Amino acid sequence: MMCALRAGQRGRSVLVVDHARAPGEKIRISGGGRCNFTNLHAGPSNYISGNRHFAKSALARYTPADFLALVGKHRIGWHEKTLGQLFCDDSAKDIIRMLIAEMQMGGVELRLQTAISSVEKSDGRFRVDLGQDVVEAQSLVVATGGKSIPKMGATGLAYRLAEQFGLAVTETRPGLVPLTLEPSLLEKLSPLSGIAVDAEARSGKTRFREALLFTHRGLSGPSILQISSYWREGEEVALTLLPEIDLLARLKQARKENGRQALQTVLAEMLPRRLAQHFGDVLNLAGPLADQSDRKLQAAAEAIQNWQLRPAGSEGYRTAEVTLGGVDVNAIDSRSMEAKAVPGLYFIGECVDVTGWLGGYNFQWAWASGHVCGEAV
């Protein structure tokens, strides 16, 4: 829609084909129905790609301030939550209505519930078979997203079209997705389901500090969704609970001030009761703090602030917010999103190998890549 409105307002004749019953369905469900439509801090460092420089051009030419100007033009109320995340005051549908209105200003035609049977190119023009109709066009823009949330109709169409025209597709996998645990570990942690705590999650050299949520399948919450995009199966995830506290110093202080209390009692002053009880049980430090040596207290602090877990996997595309990987960006011109080897063929948004962090970054990539493409088609 962003690409279409820009191209239409430039005077191009534009048709948008969507197999869904309503436009912008992923916008509608995002942000709890309020759409985290951008992030004030969006920049190349917030994106994962096989070419870390690729996103620079589009992100520089269409910024969060540019999208905010469009939001302001349509008098849509918004507010900032944490970490630069911007949401609609009222409803995500405001963003959809805004995009449709801008498309109408450019004379864009929108066809819903329309499937694509095949795409061909001959004599410099694309022929798109829509079943009961065949459309010819000078340019074809593929903006069909990734495999995430198949119940909404997500498919690998973009990847099939890329391969049809000779473009490489990098490995795809679920991103921004909850992680699952193997049955024996899950059984031990099942009493913690529903508990949320502040935590730092780490995988390799990458770390995120946000909320951690224990679920009946494993781990979720913003910190886990973020780290899931960097984690690979077989690797461990390290968790630091109480990241703002020198826990060893706090435990020693508690031992000095009231050595008769148990470790679990002290932990319950800083952690949810069930979580404190869990560590009290697994650390097996029975008796009062006065009986615990510095070595045992250090081991307890280490277990809580360098908690090493090996996830069994992820919940997959069913709940993943994005798809990592996609159409190889080295085959695409970063200034226009046009396939270098196929004039007139463009790929934008999530289907290319550019994946943002959680918090409005992927929407900003959609707006930016769509805008620069709409300027070029």
Side-chain angles (χ1 to χ4, degrees):
M1 288 192 285
M2 175 60 80
C3 176
L5 68 87
R6 185 68 202 109
Q9 290 173 15
R10 287 179 49 240
R12 302 288 279 162
S13 175
V14 183
L15 168 66
V16 175
V17 177
D18 191 337
H19 68 177
R21 289 191 292 181
E25 281 294 270
K26 269 202 170 181
I27 297 174
R28 181 183 61 81
I29 68 166
S30 68
R34 289 193 172 181
C35 187
N36 179 191
F37 57 79
T38 192
N39 193 295
L40 293 174
H41 308 307
S45 63
N46 306 117
Y47 294 85
I48 303 168
S49 174
N51 179 346
R52 60 191 179 90
H53 300 292
F54 179 81
K56 288 181 178 178
S57 178
L59 291 171
R61 289 161 56 200
Y62 194 84
T63 67
D66 292 319
F67 193 76
L68 269 180
L70 187 60
V71 168
K73 172 185 172 184
H74 288 261
R75 298 182 179 179
I76 297 173
W78 59 273
H79 59 278
E80 179 182 354
K81 283 194 175 179
T82 58
L83 305 172
Q85 302 170 33
L86 304 189
F87 289 77
C88 295
D89 284 346
D90 185 20
S91 169
K93 294 179 181 179
D94 290 338
I95 299 295
I96 299 173
R97 284 191 286 265
M98 175 189 79
L99 295 171
I100 291 174
E102 290 287 329
M103 286 166 56
Q104 291 172 342
M105 287 172 55
V108 174
E109 179 184 353
L110 173 62
R111 291 193 199 177
L112 298 170
Q113 295 182 275
T114 303
I116 296 172
S117 299
S118 65
V119 176
E120 298 176 355
K121 187 182 184 186
S122 61
D123 299 324
R125 293 180 67 80
F126 293 91
R127 299 182 76 254
V128 182
D129 188 341
L130 303 178
Q132 297 181 344
D133 189 14
V134 176
V135 176
E136 289 195 4
Q138 179 183 348
S139 301
L140 176 67
V141 179
V142 182
T144 56
K147 301 176 183 177
S148 305
I149 318 183
K151 71 178 181 180
M152 293 188 64
T155 70
L157 175 61
Y159 312 136
R160 294 195 295 273
L161 289 175
E163 290 171 342
Q164 175 186 332
F165 286 97
L167 278 69
V169 176
T170 67
E171 176 195 5
T172 57
R173 55 193 178 91
L176 300 182
V177 63
L179 299 177
T180 59
L181 301 174
E182 52 90 11
S184 62
L185 179 57
L186 188 60
E187 184 178 359
K188 293 177 183 176
L189 298 182
S190 60
L192 305 179
S193 181
I195 291 177
V197 292
D198 182 29
E200 181 184 84
R202 304 188 304 281
S203 180
K205 296 181 180 180
T206 305
R207 59 186 64 207
F208 291 96
R209 181 180 169 182
E210 292 188 66
L212 161 71
L213 175 67
F214 294 91
T215 73
H216 64 287
R217 291 190 180 92
L219 304 173
S220 188
S223 65
I224 294 299
L225 298 185
Q226 295 278 37
I227 210 65
S228 73
S229 294
Y230 293 84
W231 171 81
R232 290 282 190 158
E233 287 200 22
E235 296 177 349
E236 289 188 332
V237 169
L239 302 176
T240 297
L241 307 186
L242 304 170
E244 77 287 358
I245 292 175
D246 183 339
L247 184 56
L248 178 58
R250 183 70 65 89
L251 293 177
K252 287 181 177 180
Q253 181 182 2
R255 181 181 62 184
K256 179 179 178 180
E257 294 177 352
N258 185 0
R260 291 176 297 177
Q261 59 188 335
L263 173 67
Q264 181 177 320
T265 304
V266 178
L267 292 178
E269 296 174 358
M270 299 175 278
L271 292 169
R273 181 183 55 79
R274 279 184 288 157
L275 188 53
Q277 182 177 347
H278 167 79
F279 283 113
D281 293 340
V282 300
L283 292 171
N284 196 28
L285 295 180
L289 279 176
D291 293 345
Q292 312 303 332
S293 65
D294 284 357
R295 181 176 58 81
K296 288 184 177 180
L297 293 184
Q298 184 171 358
E302 176 76 8
I304 295 170
Q305 297 200 303
N306 190 24
W307 189 7
Q308 303 284 333
L309 292 172
R310 192 183 302 276
S314 78
E315 292 190 6
Y317 291 116
R318 181 181 65 85
T319 58
E321 295 200 16
V322 293
T323 301
L324 290 153
V327 181
D328 190 342
V329 294
N330 293 314
I332 300 172
D333 186 329
S334 65
R335 298 164 298 178
S336 64
M337 307 302 293
E338 184 177 25
K340 295 175 182 177
V342 188
L345 179 63
Y346 301 79
F347 291 86
I348 59 175
E350 187 185 348
C351 71
V352 303
D353 180 23
V354 175
T355 305
W357 291 358
L358 182 73
Y361 296 99
N362 287 292
F363 272 125
Q364 184 57 35
W365 172 244
W367 315 140
S369 61
H371 177 84
V372 298
C373 183
E375 288 275 337
V377 292

